[in-house]
Amino acid sequence: MSTRLKSGGRLIDRSAPLDFTFNGKRLRGCAGDTLASALLANDQMLLGRSFKYHRPRGLVASGAEEPNALVNLGQGARLEPNQRTTTTELFDGLEARSQNHWPSLDFDVGVVNNYAARLLPGGFYYKTFIHPRAAWKHFFEPIIRHSAGLGSAPKDRDADRYEQAYAFCDLLIVGGGVAGLQAALVAGRAGARVWLVEQTAHWGGRAPVDGDVVGGMPAADWVEAAVLELSAMDNVTLRLRCMAAGSYDHGYVLLDEKLADHTPGDGRPRHRLWRMRVGKILAATGAIERPLSFAGNDIPGVMLAGAVRDYAVNWAVSPGDRTVVVTNNDDAYRTAIVLKEAGLEVAAVIDARNIANGPLPERARALGIRVETGRAIARVKGGKRVEAVEICQQAGEGAASTTLSCDAVAMSGGWSPVVHLWSHCGGKLIWDESEAMFRPDATRPPLHADGTAMVLCAGAANGALRQAVADADAQVKIALQALGFEAESEEVPAHDVADESALEPVWIMPQGAGIALRSKMWLDFQNDVKVSDVQLAAREGYESVEHTKRYTTLGMATDQGKLSNINGLAVLADSLNAQIPQVGTTTFRPPYTPVPLGALAGEARGEIFQPLRKTPMHDWHQQNGAYFEPVGHWRRPYCFQRPGETPEQAVHREVKNTREALGLLDASTLGKIIVKGPDAGRFLDMLYTGVMSTLPIGKCRYGLMCNEQGFLSDDGVVARIDADTWLCHTTSGGADRIHAWMEDWLQCEWWDWQVFTANVTEQYAQVAVVGPNARKLLESLGGMDVSKEALPFMHWADGTLGGFACRVYRISFSGELSYEIAVPASQGAAFWALLHKAGAAFGAMPYGTEALHVMRAEKGFIMIGDETDGTIIPQDLGLDWAISKKKPDYLGKRGQERSFLANPDRWKLVGFETLDGSVIEDGAYIPEHGVNANNQRRVQGRVTSTYHSPTLGRGIAMGLLRQGPARMGEVVEFTRMDGGVTPARVVDPVFFDKDGEKQNV
Amino acid sequence: MLILSCPYCGIDAEETELAPGGEAHLKRFGPGSDDDAFEAYMFARKNPKGVHFERWRHAYGCGKWFLAARCTATLEVFGTYPAQSTEPPVEIVEKIKAKRPEWKGFS
Amino acid sequence: MSDPVSALQGASYDGFAQLREIGPLGMITLRAKAGTPGLEAAVQAATGCAMPQMRRIVRQGPCAAGWMSPDELLLILPYADVAGALARIGEALQGQHHLAVDVSDARAVFRIEGAKADQVLRKLSPVDFDRLEPNELRRSRAAQVAAAFWAEEGGFTLVCFRSVAGYVMGLLSVSARPGAEL
Ligand SMILES: [Zn+2]
């Protein structure tokens, strides 16, 4: 059984017990525990089920590489699935539940998949996707959906908060082991702006566990002194629980800092995502131990040798009473020695090498540990827990000679550098024959903006498995020199570790294992990929490692190759009769370990999910029944609902009231751009299809803007303010875009023209006062002459109304007598209130965007975005009158001259009147007989705007129809969602007041 | 995510502060141009793997358009310069030639 | 004319830094090419300030002149003085190509104060605050909207567009919540 040892545990505080539950069972750990160490201390070895076969799974590792022990953490609004027990710090009241099993962890129905393993070989998903289709839909998918998958998705809104922050530094050092600390000391002393981040809650990494001696003192003491010195440096920032998730172009790094995972609900953000820009990244990210591939290597109790050592030394937890160590290298002997010295039994060290006589094996022998060389594990016996191992010759086919009873197996296949940050942005690797590992190729680094190396690796991450401090010292000095800092010449602290003799690559144990054994050798514990799966893929022709990865799912998901990568590659290479470097490695992708979606969203949730633009009258709208709609980022009232009204009824009331009495519209969102200068008129003549330079001062003119292809882009009324100043109105959504468009041409094409622009959209609140009583209201306010004579249609004037300084435009988008009045935004709410107060006597009501749309449609006015979609030229909409024939050039003129735009068969704007008065459906098409080349039904037109007209008491519509204007009076049929058709007559798009008498009074 | 230095205000702006504007040094063809010239102006873009010249606007900043020379394969930036340039400045061309001897030059 | 009201009417929030919407402030966008004759005189006449260098803001009593781009200045002055200042600018730049326009109401202005005021902004803008120089006017973004800010009197002054004042106040408040110090 696994249990807490009576003494030891460098990270735990036995005087501070913490209560927690696992699957409802009350358990106890202590401060400093991870959830994994606390579970082990409580003899909870079985922690989950595997993804595909539902085999029992326990802890394999002690850190971020753990593939199995993922749990659902918390519940309700704090439920977080797939949390690694090895990286979860224990806290009082923690609730964990195992996942991927049903109905219970101990008795799991899905385990039948294990017996049906032959049905789920490598490439299973692809094969069943392809044929037969019905089998996938009715058989495989329901079973897999029920039995596969990891944790359960939270259903409640996340109770925690998250944030992001930006940071900048010269040198980001990732990894707080002795390599990272040494690098930070050198860089800090050199005066560089340094960040040192460590993903766990502790500094020092493996060195204190392995008993290294640094600078003449125990590693733990050296680490403490280093942290103390670094803490005193103003130019060094230290962060624990901070994981470098990914490195990206031009020195961009994302870091996930766990602030309150271990103190939930303490008011702090749960995670903080740092968005960092760095001069260089120094990846001192260490190495990860490789499993060995022997049959039954996934049975709970089989763990990495380094992890077994970690549990014993750091948390005083023994994974078993009697452990077998199996290895191809000297390092694993440290585990045997640690266990023996902790008073535990080591059944044997099974060493695949024929000779093991380095200092560590010798020391193990001296402690009385049985060492078996040239031997291998043929198979592990046990179900939910290791019971024994069968021993055989490594060189043989697996005929067992001995059975050793044990309840834990500590395996080591050597170590692989953690090169993720190096590889994320394109750093290349080379194969290191002596250590059987890929390590960074310093001649092919990922590049920064200036073309120099962006990432350097240091210590074990650089392949220096045993001289980490010296390597880090050398690498940081290279980085500092490139950054322009001079490192002080100080002696490199000696890093004393026991000598180790060479490892011997072992990719399958035993070497000649047959299919029965190979199909029980797990390469990827999380994704349930076995040696036999990769071999099958190779036989089926998957030669590319990237294809094999996807076909077998090897190293996918959260593993990202941490444990499975090298062993899988080696097996693939062997199957292809190729060398490992020829097969190459898969691409490591960010994040290194998963980052919560909440952290990626940061502050952008709830009220501030995205910017909402509000006009000065927004509060009034909100208090007066506004039913809002988004227009760009603006929120505009669609209508103002009165009690008992539907939005539709409100719109009808607003239209009728505006046509019969007086309507008030908040038009503040309309874009307003000032264009000024000696060349402003010339510039606007290029920008608009019409002529603006000749517009007299005091007058307004409607204008169209097109892109260079000739397609309509925006429209609005332009007012001539003075000799060299124009004010251009744009659509509500278009102000920023059109302002940028103007600046683009002024800066990049006609930079010698003397023109300045200013976007003053938000400087003004603008109100449209519309309807037969509009003038009466303004006259009652007093202050300026708004008569037909003083202020005719399409004129503007400055003055005051009711004491408010304002500019009044006689323009109309409704066909009614209409004034658009601009006042400073800071006066907008007061002016709006005054209009309502004074307007009550004239029947004033506010109206929203839908009434505006209905009224403009009744008048046949186009709306950018309704009648246009980026493929429509003004000529399609019958707007030839707004295009100057005389001008030699304007933006879009050449585009409009393209032959296909002159085709008489183009769809052109017309009006539609339904025969029965009903409303044509939004988006309806006008089909015709026959099919096109794609066997789709032919169409000859579509509706662009369709409304019920309260004024006319019937449905009206505008739309585009092939040769439309030539087909007046013809009846066409529009599609309906229910499959029927709506017949409608082609008519003039101006439905109301064709002669424009009402607006011109 | 790129960083480009704005030649107008000196800020090393990150990509989120910039707006992209496509290929630089296009010549506008207006009325009177033939179909081929107009098509090339409107639609034909170089899209090289290697040295490329682009338009960027310091949108969340000084608002100015500028031009950037960079390698589309390695993302190395050779330099940025004002939009009021009909071709890349000599010093940037020299720098590119030094770093990319195989480059055939601006055309 | 009623009293001008700022977008949020002086909203405030106290977290680990103190936030206040201030204003309305008088603001003028002045566009003219550097070296335009009379430009320095115009800035002087409107604000009493010298011409700011690139990315700098020059302050003088209640007034300031900030560099926004090679041909744009932001002039800050008491709200009531804008009309007079525009007239003086017009005189000083008579006959010169320029554009001076009142943008006082197009903006919202916030003060972020306290020893950790910078931390509020470090969460919102991709700006290296360690390298922000005294009297540097930085234009960037605050989360998803444009913003300009500078350090001033124990804190920062931040300017954004009026329509997004509520959004920016929300951003600042969330960022300044106690317990979220960097
Ligand atoms: Zn700039």
Side-chain angles (χ1 to χ4, degrees):
Chain A
M1 63 182 290
S2 64
T3 186
R4 182 86 73 191
L5 300 168
K6 287 280 171 285
S7 62
R10 54 184 286 270
L11 300 181
I12 55 167
D13 178 359
R14 291 171 195 258
S15 68
L18 301 174
D19 291 321
F20 70 104
T21 65
F22 178 68
N23 289 342
K25 192 161 61 172
R26 292 182 59 85
L27 302 170
R28 175 165 284 193
C30 53
D33 261 326
T34 63
L35 177 54
S37 68
L39 285 165
L40 267 189
N42 285 276
D43 196 26
Q44 186 66 51
M45 179 56 87
L46 177 62
L47 293 176
R49 295 273 175 173
S50 70
F51 197 82
K52 229 156 71 175
Y53 305 132
H54 288 241
R55 286 174 60 94
R57 286 291 157 82
L59 282 164
V60 169
S62 58
E65 69 276 24
E66 170 58 37
N68 291 336
L70 311 184
V71 294
N72 288 313
L73 208 60
Q75 58 175 321
R78 287 216 157 82
L79 169 64
E80 191 80 6
N82 305 333
Q83 294 302 288
R84 267 190 181 71
T85 55
T86 50
T87 57
T88 300
E89 289 175 62
L90 193 67
F91 55 85
D92 206 43
L94 179 149
E95 294 173 57
R97 276 169 300 114
S98 54
Q99 49 192 37
N100 201 27
H101 57 74
W102 182 83
S104 78
L105 178 58
D106 282 315
F107 175 76
D108 177 42
V109 168
V111 78
V112 295
N113 288 357
N114 191 17
Y115 303 109
R118 267 174 300 147
L119 295 176
L120 299 166
F124 162 76
Y125 294 100
Y126 294 90
K127 286 166 180 162
T128 53
F129 277 140
I130 294 167
H131 70 90
R133 275 179 181 271
W136 175 255
K137 190 173 175 201
H138 300 295
F139 178 66
F140 291 111
E141 185 177 345
I143 290 176
I144 289 173
R145 278 214 188 283
H146 191 70
S147 65
L150 294 171
S152 42
K155 293 189 174 67
D156 297 348
R157 174 180 277 257
D158 194 337
D160 285 305
R161 65 191 173 111
Y162 303 83
E163 67 177 26
Q164 300 184 351
Y166 298 87
F168 296 78
C169 65
D170 298 314
L171 184 66
L172 168 66
I173 302 169
V174 181
V178 291
L181 288 165
Q182 172 64 14
L185 286 170
V186 173
R189 289 171 191 148
R193 188 159 49 148
V194 177
W195 274 59
L196 173 62
V197 298
E198 161 58 40
Q199 63 182 350
T200 73
H202 307 281
W203 299 109
R206 290 211 60 80
V209 178
D210 290 352
D212 294 7
V213 174
V214 181
M217 55 182 117
D221 296 346
W222 184 85
V223 167
E224 198 181 326
V227 171
L228 198 66
E229 183 180 343
L230 290 167
S231 304
M233 294 183 186
D234 286 340
N235 55 328
V236 176
T237 304
L238 301 173
R239 296 272 166 169
L240 288 170
R241 304 185 177 93
C242 191
M243 184 269 301
S247 67
Y248 306 85
D249 307 323
H250 287 193
Y252 189 55
V253 187
L254 289 183
L255 305 166
D256 180 27
E257 184 180 15
K258 297 174 175 179
L259 296 172
D261 265 358
H262 58 302
T263 56
D266 74 348
R268 293 185 297 165
R270 184 173 156 239
H271 283 221
R272 175 185 294 133
L273 188 79
W274 289 96
R275 304 171 66 166
M276 186 179 271
R277 284 287 180 177
V278 306
K280 304 273 180 210
I281 300 164
L282 191 79
T285 41
I288 289 178
E289 197 167 21
R290 294 188 292 265
L292 285 168
S293 300
F294 48 84
N297 65 348
D298 70 324
I299 294 172
V302 180
M303 298 172 67
L304 294 169
V308 170
R309 198 150 82 232
D310 285 339
Y311 286 113
V313 176
N314 284 337
W315 298 288
V317 173
S318 68
D321 298 328
R322 185 173 152 86
T323 304
V324 166
V325 176
V326 55
T327 184
N328 65 347
N329 62 71
D330 279 6
D331 180 63
Y333 286 83
R334 289 191 172 95
T335 300
I337 293 164
V338 159
L339 294 177
K340 188 78 181 174
E341 287 179 344
L344 296 160
E345 202 174 336
V346 178
V349 177
I350 308 298
D351 196 325
R353 299 171 297 180
N354 286 323
I355 300 167
N357 51 14
L360 287 165
E362 289 307 331
R363 202 166 138 217
R365 287 188 180 98
L367 285 168
I369 297 171
R370 174 177 162 194
V371 175
E372 298 265 1
T373 55
R375 308 273 274 173
I377 290 181
R379 65 172 60 78
V380 180
K381 300 179 102 172
K384 291 174 194 161
R385 186 70 201 243
V386 171
E387 289 164 8
V389 295
E390 291 179 358
I391 306 300
C392 63
Q393 294 296 328
Q394 168 62 14
E397 292 175 3
S401 56
T402 335
T403 299
L404 286 176
S405 72
C406 60
D407 58 356
V409 175
M411 61 180 165
S412 178
W415 293 76
S416 297
V418 176
V419 295
H420 291 66
L421 291 173
W422 172 269
S423 299
H424 284 163
C425 234
K428 299 290 186 271
L429 304 171
I430 47 174
W431 180 248
D432 185 317
E433 202 69 54
S434 64
E435 300 282 359
M437 66 187 181
F438 279 109
R439 61 176 168 79
D441 179 355
T443 64
R444 294 180 297 164
L447 300 181
H448 212 305
D450 60 358
T452 63
M454 182 173 89
V455 183
L456 293 90
C457 291
N462 198 30
L465 296 181
R466 277 166 290 277
Q467 284 305 319
V469 171
D471 185 64
D473 189 86
Q475 295 301 325
V476 75
K477 281 171 180 160
I478 296 171
L480 288 171
Q481 191 179 15
L483 290 166
F485 293 92
E486 204 169 319
E488 293 173 19
S489 55
E490 289 203 34
E491 208 173 312
V492 185
H495 185 185
D496 299 320
V497 293
D499 279 345
E500 292 176 34
S501 34
L503 67 63
E504 198 173 290
V506 171
W507 306 122
I508 296 180
M509 180 174 262
Q511 198 180 345
I515 183 66
L517 292 180
R518 293 201 311 269
S519 59
K520 292 290 177 202
M521 295 177 185
W522 262 255
L523 289 169
D524 182 331
F525 302 103
Q526 186 174 78
N527 299 301
D528 257 338
V529 183
K530 300 169 296 178
V531 168
S532 54
D533 295 323
V534 171
Q535 290 171 330
L536 175 65
R539 281 203 306 280
E540 290 182 347
Y542 286 84
E543 297 185 3
S544 150
V545 61
E546 293 284 2
H547 291 162
T548 304
K549 166 177 167 175
R550 279 148 189 86
Y551 191 60
T552 61
T553 72
L554 175 78
M556 308 266 278
T558 65
D559 180 65
Q560 281 303 303
K562 290 185 196 79
L563 279 190
S564 62
N565 194 27
I566 302 300
N567 289 348
L569 290 177
V571 169
L572 181 64
D574 182 62
S575 307
L576 297 169
N577 283 320
Q579 298 299 306
I580 289 174
Q582 285 169 261
V583 172
T585 176
T586 54
T587 309
F588 299 89
R589 299 195 193 281
Y592 177 60
T593 61
V595 176
L597 288 177
L600 296 175
E603 85 296 330
R605 62 192 286 190
E607 287 287 298
I608 53 171
F609 170 64
Q610 64 172 13
L612 291 190
R613 299 178 72 182
K614 296 175 180 175
T615 74
M617 291 82 112
H618 188 90
D619 289 348
W620 190 97
H621 302 334
Q622 211 143 21
Q623 289 153 19
N624 286 272
Y627 177 83
F628 285 100
E629 70 162 344
V631 178
H633 278 160
W634 291 104
R635 283 292 176 276
R636 297 191 72 184
Y638 175 92
C639 63
F640 293 86
Q641 270 175 284
R642 290 182 170 180
E645 270 183 346
T646 64
E648 192 183 17
Q649 290 167 334
V651 169
H652 294 171
R653 171 181 50 75
E654 290 170 11
V655 170
K656 282 180 88 77
N657 185 71
T658 303
R659 292 248 185 257
E660 288 163 12
L662 184 56
L664 300 172
L665 174 81
D666 177 1
S668 306
T669 59
L670 213 61
K672 307 161 201 81
I673 301 170
I674 294 176
V675 179
K676 184 187 179 199
D679 295 309
R682 175 189 182 196
F683 174 61
L684 292 178
D685 283 352
M686 283 302 294
L687 219 60
Y688 287 92
T689 60
V691 181
M692 293 300 169
S693 55
T694 59
L695 181 64
I697 294 167
K699 287 200 73 174
C700 303
R701 185 171 287 166
Y702 176 70
L704 304 173
M705 276 189 237
C706 296
N707 61 24
E708 274 285 65
Q709 292 206 57
F711 298 130
L712 251 181
S713 146
D714 208 73
D715 70 345
V717 169
V718 178
R720 179 80 176 265
I721 306 300
D722 61 33
D724 62 358
T725 311
W726 282 254
L727 178 78
C728 303
H729 286 109
T730 75
T731 55
S732 289
D736 293 334
R737 178 173 55 87
I738 296 301
H739 185 234
W741 173 246
M742 289 177 172
E743 284 293 325
D744 191 350
W745 287 99
L746 287 171
Q747 293 176 31
C748 303
E749 188 72 18
W750 304 309
W751 62 74
D752 51 335
W753 295 14
Q754 293 201 311
V755 182
F756 284 125
T757 68
N759 184 352
V760 294
T761 301
E762 300 203 12
Q763 170 68 14
Y764 300 99
Q766 198 143 318
V767 183
V769 180
V770 182
N773 295 340
R775 185 173 288 133
K776 288 179 207 155
L777 167 57
L778 301 190
E779 284 172 347
S780 82
L781 297 176
M784 65 189 287
D785 189 349
V786 293
S787 65
K788 183 181 181 181
E789 295 71 29
L791 185 54
F793 186 53
M794 294 306 272
H795 283 64
W796 65 269
D798 284 339
T800 62
L801 284 170
F804 287 84
C806 60
R807 176 169 287 164
V808 184
Y809 305 89
R810 267 291 306 272
I811 54 181
S812 178
F813 199 41
S814 57
E816 296 298 326
L817 171 63
S818 166
Y819 297 85
E820 290 209 5
I821 304 163
V823 299
S826 65
Q827 309 281 327
F831 184 64
W832 176 256
L834 173 69
L835 290 174
H836 281 279
K837 195 172 161 214
F842 305 102
M845 285 182 196
Y847 70 94
T849 52
E850 186 66 0
L852 169 136
H853 278 257
V854 172
M855 288 191 280
R856 67 93 195 168
E858 288 174 344
K859 282 293 294 175
F861 294 143
I862 65 133
M863 178 70 78
I864 298 292
D866 285 346
E867 275 64 44
T868 71
D869 64 358
T871 68
I872 304 296
I873 56 174
Q875 294 88 334
D876 294 336
L877 303 180
L879 294 169
D880 305 71
W881 59 269
I883 301 170
S884 166
K885 307 284 182 298
K886 291 184 219 149
K887 290 196 302 187
D889 194 4
Y890 59 84
L891 298 181
K893 184 176 171 70
R894 176 63 184 84
Q896 288 164 2
E897 288 168 359
R898 288 177 293 170
S899 55
F900 78 97
L901 292 174
N903 185 338
D905 274 349
R906 272 186 79 77
W907 294 4
K908 296 210 166 194
L909 188 77
V910 288
F912 295 101
E913 246 176 31
T914 53
L915 300 189
D916 61 359
S918 66
V919 179
I920 296 167
E921 289 179 0
D922 266 317
Y925 274 85
I926 310 169
E928 62 179 339
H929 293 296
V931 293
N932 66 13
N934 298 321
N935 210 29
Q936 297 157 327
R937 193 164 174 193
R938 285 182 189 281
V939 289
Q940 54 178 323
R942 63 180 170 89
V943 76
T944 55
S945 295
T946 173
Y947 302 98
H948 173 79
S949 162
T951 313
L952 304 171
R954 56 176 302 116
I956 61 167
M958 296 155 77
L960 297 161
L961 178 67
R962 182 184 304 134
Q963 298 187 342
R967 296 167 66 176
M968 290 295 161
E970 190 180 319
V971 174
V972 296
E973 291 182 336
F974 283 89
T975 54
R976 288 211 317 238
M977 292 292 282
D978 65 8
V981 294
T982 305
R985 180 168 286 113
V986 180
V987 296
D988 186 287
V990 184
F991 291 91
F992 177 72
D993 187 25
K994 287 190 199 297
D995 298 327
E997 287 163 354
K998 288 196 78 179
Q999 65 195 12
N1000 211 2
V1001 294
Chain B
M1 185 167 55
L2 306 184
I3 295 179
L4 296 171
S5 179
C6 173
Y8 291 99
C9 70
I11 290 288
D12 292 332
E14 70 162 39
E15 211 170 314
T16 66
E17 295 173 284
L18 301 169
E23 187 179 323
H25 301 301
L26 296 179
K27 178 174 163 29
R28 179 173 184 260
F29 283 88
S33 59
D34 64 33
D35 284 352
D36 289 345
F38 183 72
E39 183 190 17
Y41 158 56
M42 210 67 256
F43 305 113
R45 295 295 180 267
K46 290 197 176 87
N47 194 26
K49 180 180 180 182
V51 178
H52 195 38
F53 301 88
E54 293 173 324
R55 286 156 31 86
W56 291 88
R57 185 181 185 220
H58 194 185
Y60 286 100
C62 72
K64 294 302 179 198
W65 282 97
F66 64 88
L67 308 181
R70 69 179 180 101
C71 174
T72 59
T74 67
L75 308 189
E76 178 172 358
V77 178
F78 305 112
T80 56
Y81 51 102
Q84 294 80 41
S85 314
T86 49
E87 58 183 48
V90 175
E91 63 272 20
I92 289 180
V93 169
E94 291 306 317
K95 189 174 170 187
I96 299 171
K97 280 181 176 164
K99 293 199 160 197
R100 298 284 188 280
E102 75 284 2
W103 181 54
K104 295 194 173 63
F106 176 74
S107 59
Chain C
M1 222 61 174
S2 68
D3 287 337
V5 292
S6 65
L8 304 179
Q9 296 170 50
S12 67
Y13 173 80
D14 278 1
F16 69 74
Q18 290 73 52
L19 317 174
R20 269 180 307 131
E21 191 224 6
I22 59 170
L25 283 185
M27 287 194 191
I28 293 170
T29 287
L30 175 56
R31 296 202 58 182
K33 286 208 160 58
T36 300
L39 182 56
E40 279 183 48
V43 173
Q44 181 74 35
T47 63
C49 295
M51 275 290 285
Q53 299 295 303
M54 181 170 79
R55 288 206 327 267
R56 289 295 179 275
I57 183 162
V58 177
R59 278 171 288 149
Q60 186 65 252
C63 298
W67 189 96
M68 297 287 274
S69 91
D71 57 10
E72 181 177 340
L73 300 172
L74 174 65
L75 307 181
I76 300 175
L77 59 162
Y79 190 88
D81 297 352
V82 169
L86 282 171
R88 291 194 293 279
I89 291 168
E91 273 169 40
L93 286 167
Q94 182 96 49
Q96 298 296 331
H97 171 46
H98 75 284
L99 169 60
V101 55
D102 180 3
V103 293
S104 313
D105 287 3
R107 307 278 163 78
V109 189
F110 295 88
R111 283 286 296 161
I112 303 113
E113 293 173 342
K116 294 175 177 169
D118 63 310
Q119 295 189 8
V120 178
L121 295 179
R122 282 174 199 261
K123 298 180 188 182
L124 300 173
S125 300
V127 168
D128 188 351
F129 281 87
D130 298 344
R131 300 285 184 267
L132 193 74
E133 293 180 33
N135 299 315
E136 179 172 354
L137 188 169
R138 181 68 151 91
R139 299 180 73 179
S140 182
R141 59 179 176 84
Q144 301 172 55
V145 297
F149 41 78
W150 59 92
E152 180 173 34
E153 289 166 18
F156 288 82
T157 303
L158 180 146
V159 181
C160 68
F161 282 108
R162 182 189 188 100
S163 66
V164 293
Y167 171 74
V168 170
M169 186 69 195
L171 290 177
L172 295 170
S173 308
V174 162
S175 300
R177 269 168 68 173
E181 295 87 345
L182 292 181

